[in-house]
Amino acid sequence: MAGRFAPRTPVTRTTVRGGHVPVPAARPEPRTASGVTRRWTPAAPTDLGLTLGPLRRGPADPTFRTTPDGSVWRATRTPAGPGTLRVALRHGVAEAEAWGPGADWLLDRLPQLLGAEDDPDAFTPRHRLLAVTHRRRPGLRLTRTGLVMESLIPSILEQKVTTDEAYRAWRLLVRKYGEPAPGPDGHRLHVMPDARTWSLIPSWEWHRAGVDNKRAATILRAAKVARRMEEAAAMEPEQAQQRLELIPGIGPWTSAETIQRSNGAPDAVTVGDYHLPGIVGYALAGDRTTDDAAMLDLLSPYAGQRHRAARLILLSGRTPPRRAPRMTPGDIAAL
């Protein structure tokens, strides 16, 4: 029976963090308000859920949806204005439709969004776990959005809190201060606020969303120089990280999480993470006490592709057994 069935990797909290978003098989989509359309054929198999999954900030992200017809919807703020993009893969062809002032901008960058600039062949597995996961995930491509602020702000919200707390803050702030996304209203998507709106959010609203003063102040500093932040999307990853880290409150963890998405950086390792070193150490060396230095040493054979290696480890589902109850989320809004 070996080899007759494709092995299934369970969907765990770790695989979700690795960018796994279940997308139903493509089916004929229901009729919607007509937008601008574009078709593009990827050069290699592409999995929408794996490629675009890192852009979703929690299952109730107001800027991201998947639908039963196999489409992924995302609403974002482009240099040309708000835009909504629907993309589906049918028979190996990416079919996209977009609405709003940013529609053409989104469609012009569809290939980059679906990993056209990514080179998975540059990755050579040197560990059995990575080799198996790499074979099981042939459609993994590293997305490049070309947009910095849409990834930077939620990454700042995720600093030193649980993912549930960060997702809640993102959801509340985008729904209250963002704007309804252009296009069909049945999906109730929202576009995140522009830089000026972020800077005008009153202190008590940050508090109600569970965002402490330190993270709120970092977002405000970034919003004041949003144009300079967006310029990092056209830079080499190392220079882009340096640009982001000029803002007090943005360190290697936040800059790496951002450029992994905005720049499609295959070598940007998330250093300073609470869980990742232990996960990588346990997967590659059986040591759950691994620190950042040891993690980088374990990933050194994958220089140039360390982010891809870390994602494959997360997607493998191999994590250290839990030794304590899950951290209880805080609620500063109740103070």
Side-chain angles (χ1 to χ4, degrees), residues 232-258:
M235 298 178 177
E236 291 298 317
E238 294 78 9
Q239 287 71 39
Q241 284 196 257
Q242 293 172 9
R243 169 68 63 88
L244 299 185
E245 291 172 20
L246 291 174
I247 303 297
I250 297 178
W253 186 93
T254 306
S255 64
E257 287 286 313
T258 301

Side-chain angles (χ1 to χ4, degrees), residues 82-234:
T84 301
L85 177 70
R86 179 193 66 81
V87 59
L89 282 171
R90 307 185 193 284
H91 308 293
V93 178
E95 300 178 357
E97 190 171 10
W99 297 262
D104 288 332
W105 192 96
L106 289 169
L107 292 175
D108 288 344
R109 287 153 182 80
L110 178 66
Q112 293 92 327
L113 184 72
L114 297 184
E117 297 182 357
D118 182 33
D119 181 16
D121 293 335
F123 178 79
T124 303
R126 301 181 184 277
H127 188 282
R128 184 177 182 276
L129 177 71
L130 286 172
V132 171
T133 309
H134 186 56
R135 186 174 67 252
R136 291 179 177 179
R137 306 283 188 168
L140 173 63
R141 297 291 179 269
L142 301 184
T143 186
R144 180 172 185 171
T145 65
L147 298 168
V148 173
M149 294 298 287
E150 72 162 17
S151 294
L152 178 61
I153 291 177
S155 295
I156 295 172
L157 291 175
E158 292 174 9
Q159 292 176 350
K160 300 185 182 300
V161 296
T162 65
T163 53
D164 289 341
E165 291 175 272
Y167 292 160
R168 174 182 177 272
W170 173 250
R171 182 172 67 250
L172 293 177
L173 293 169
V174 170
R175 284 180 176 169
K176 185 163 187 176
Y177 292 99
E179 59 187 273
D185 59 3
H187 301 290
R188 300 179 182 177
L189 292 175
H190 283 71
V191 177
M192 77 170 197
D194 59 18
R196 184 174 185 275
T197 303
W198 282 113
S199 66
L200 294 176
I201 296 176
S203 59
W204 57 87
E205 292 294 347
W206 293 106
H207 187 80
R208 287 175 179 172
V211 182
D212 57 76
N213 291 337
K214 183 177 180 181
R215 287 180 292 151
T218 301
I219 291 175
L220 295 180
R221 286 191 288 267
K224 289 180 181 178
V225 291
R227 183 179 62 83
R228 299 286 287 170
M229 294 291 98
E230 292 292 355
E231 291 174 356

Side-chain angles (χ1 to χ4, degrees), residues 292-317:
D292 279 332
M295 175 183 71
L296 293 176
D297 185 58
L298 288 171
L299 293 176
S300 60
Y302 305 101
Q305 295 284 318
R306 294 178 299 175
H307 169 52
R308 190 190 307 276
R311 273 201 69 188
L312 288 171
I313 290 170
L314 291 169
L315 291 167
S316 74

